[in-house]
Amino acid sequence: MSDRAQAVVALGGGHGLHASLRALRLLVDDLVVDQLTAVVTVADNGGSSGRLRGEFGVLPPGDLRMALAALCHEDHWGTTWEAVLQHRFAGQGEMNGHVVGNLLIVALWEKLGDHVAALDMVGRLLGAKGRVLPMALTPMDIHARVRGAVRHRPDLVTEVRGQVEVATTDGVIESVALDPSDPPVSREALAAIADADWLVLGPGSWFSSVIPHVLVPVLRRALVDSPARVVVVLNLEEQPGETVGFGAADHLAVLLQHAPDLRIDAVLVDSGTLAGEPDDGRRLHEVVDAAGARLVVAALRADDGSARHDARALAAAYERIVVSSDDGGR
């Protein structure tokens, strides 16, 4: 068991990373974690983010905004600014669908000319309990090899390009890649990974938010070389369009297919995900054992019927993993 607070880097994007950061922020409050950093996917090409990316040539700000919102404290200041950051304009004009936080982030990028400095400034305004950094310093596109996306041609493999298109494909994704394939990465992100006690991958859109982190060469080397322990958090269920037919074992197997050199120490899965799926449970144990990791099973699903992780349950599972390790990290 560790006798000191831990440094944690969480990697992902969208709602999955938001849930993970919500949980880890609670451990900052409880002094289990003293340094919390989010490294966020920057390949979104849809919605407000896609429009701003197309118009200004900037990183898509949406997933970065959601990560910052997740780190807001639950006091009046934090909840107020979180609501402002997440406010989406309605109406019939050009502002329809844009989000306040996206506009604020892009404005600071233009004003300061520095991605990291701007995000740090937003974090200070919010009183964020951690730091948010982009996965890369240039906008990226995801493209996937997809089988069966063409009607009446189930065996035909085609390429689907764009995060939105990949996330909503009708076919079965076989692999994903990034363009550019070797983007620049901030020194702050690399330093955080090198200094971490724990690295957390997932949950989230598996092919478009989680796996991209192991496809950036500099980032992947940093993950592989880091002395930190790696925790993979599996999704609660398949995602329509992206992981149709995937069980828990499939999520882990495809991550390892894209990053066979990644050392994984713990795999966290929801107990309800495995309930009634004994074959998937057996396969998951096999994949976890082959990876040399340990499997941690806990009730993680929110009780509102949605396919989302409960922040407090996830925080308890993270704390269990951290404090039950032999040395609490490195």
Side-chain angles (χ1 to χ4, degrees):
M1 178 174 175
S2 174
D3 59 357
R4 63 177 176 81
Q6 303 288 283
V8 178
V9 176
L11 304 100
H15 292 288
L17 180 61
H18 184 275
S20 189
L21 292 174
R22 277 278 194 211
L24 289 166
R25 192 207 69 212
L26 296 175
L27 298 188
V28 174
D29 294 341
D30 293 340
L31 305 181
V32 176
V33 172
D34 66 345
Q35 296 178 51
L36 176 55
T37 305
V39 177
V40 184
T41 313
V42 287
D44 193 3
N45 66 331
S48 173
S49 284
R51 289 161 62 190
L52 292 168
R53 172 182 175 172
E55 184 170 350
F56 297 103
V58 295
L59 298 178
D63 285 2
L64 295 160
R65 178 203 82 242
M66 287 188 66
L68 284 162
L71 296 175
C72 288
H73 197 270
E74 292 180 347
D75 57 11
H76 179 68
W77 182 272
T79 56
T80 299
W81 274 109
E82 179 185 4
V84 171
L85 199 72
Q86 298 281 57
H87 178 73
R88 190 179 297 272
F89 292 104
Q92 303 300 318
E94 292 185 0
M95 289 298 293
N96 176 264
H98 273 307
V99 185
V100 171
N102 290 354
L103 301 174
L104 175 62
I105 290 169
V106 172
L108 281 168
W109 281 340
E110 288 199 340
K111 184 71 173 176
L112 301 180
D114 187 308
H115 293 100
V116 172
L119 292 167
D120 284 345
M121 183 169 286
V122 178
R124 288 196 297 274
L125 173 66
L126 303 176
K129 297 290 185 175
R131 193 180 198 189
V132 173
L133 301 170
M135 179 184 77
L137 295 175
T138 187
M140 310 199 69
D141 283 311
I142 297 173
H143 49 98
R145 286 174 49 83
V146 179
R147 183 179 299 276
V150 178
R151 198 173 184 180
H152 306 308
R153 300 286 300 276
D155 295 325
L156 181 66
V157 176
T158 56
E159 183 177 278
V160 175
R161 188 179 184 90
Q163 184 177 35
V164 172
E165 291 76 13
V166 169
T168 58
T169 181
D170 290 329
V172 176
I173 298 174
E174 296 192 338
S175 64
V176 289
L178 297 176
D179 182 22
S181 61
D182 191 6
V185 175
S186 73
R187 62 181 183 276
E188 291 87 353
L190 298 177
I193 291 169
D195 294 338
D197 296 297
W198 295 90
L199 304 172
V200 179
L201 276 166
S205 297
W206 212 245
F207 284 104
S208 55
S209 290
V210 178
I211 288 178
H213 289 84
V214 300
L215 301 181
V216 175
V218 174
L219 198 58
R220 177 167 166 172
R221 284 196 296 272
L223 294 172
V224 170
D225 293 343
S226 174
R229 295 189 175 187
V230 176
V231 180
V232 175
V233 186
L234 299 179
N235 287 346
L236 297 171
E237 56 187 43
E238 66 184 39
Q239 179 179 340
E242 188 162 327
T243 53
V244 172
F246 271 47
D250 299 307
H251 282 84
L252 182 58
V254 77
L255 173 63
L256 292 170
Q257 173 191 325
H258 284 82
D261 51 348
L262 181 66
R263 184 192 69 255
I264 297 173
D265 296 276
V267 177
L268 178 58
V269 64
D270 171 56
S271 55
T273 300
L274 299 181
E277 298 289 344
D279 288 342
D280 189 34
R282 282 193 293 270
R283 289 180 55 236
L284 179 61
H285 276 281
E286 292 172 358
V287 178
V288 170
D289 289 344
R294 62 186 172 110
L295 183 64
V296 179
V297 182
L300 302 173
R301 187 185 292 261
D303 59 9
D304 60 2
S306 67
R308 301 201 178 194
H309 290 80
D310 177 81
R312 296 194 179 278
L314 188 54
Y318 283 147
E319 184 171 7
R320 172 184 165 194
I321 290 170
V322 170
V323 303
S324 66
S325 64
D326 293 336
D327 58 3
R330 290 179 289 180

